[in-house]
Amino acid sequence: MANIASARKRARQAVKNRAHNMALRSRFRTSMKSVLKAIRAGDQEGASTAYRNAVPVIDSTVGKGLIHRNKAARHKSRLNARIREMGQA
């Protein structure tokens, strides 16, 4: 355990920040899974709606520094490609 006051405060902040980051990361993963679930079900309309709801969540995760912007772009691109692919099949 830290002895210096500033180190104790830092430890308290780290616990709080970790809980916050875990909640945001969970929200990000849930939004991704909702799109994938609709794609697997073959529901293009539902997948498009889920994708539109997921994009702001993905972008806000980038803004908060949880994931890199290239990772977000990759996820959005792949999800969108799979949704477009459903329309052609």
Side-chain angles (χ1 to χ4, degrees):
M1 184 62 196
N3 292 322
I4 297 169
S6 60
R8 284 196 297 267
K9 179 178 179 182
R10 242 318 161 194
R12 286 194 311 271
Q13 288 177 329
V15 170
K16 196 190 309 186
N17 287 338
R18 181 171 185 272
H20 186 248
N21 288 339
M22 285 190 325
L24 293 174
R25 194 173 293 115
S26 175
R27 191 176 70 149
F28 164 74
R29 289 177 178 154
T30 302
S31 66
M32 294 281 295
K33 286 177 188 173
S34 67
V35 179
L36 291 172
K37 186 177 176 183
I39 289 171
R40 285 192 200 104
D43 179 14
Q44 186 177 12
E45 185 75 27
S48 296
T49 303
Y51 177 75
R52 281 194 299 274
N53 293 334
V55 168
V57 173
I58 295 169
D59 290 338
S60 72
T61 308
V62 171
K64 294 173 192 323
L66 280 173
I67 63 171
H68 195 273
R69 60 188 167 88
N70 290 357
K71 177 178 177 159
R74 181 176 67 242
H75 280 300
K76 290 189 296 188
S77 175
R78 287 179 182 171
L79 287 174
N80 198 24
R82 287 181 69 174
I83 292 169
R84 283 196 319 264
E85 194 177 274
M86 291 172 71
Q88 295 170 354

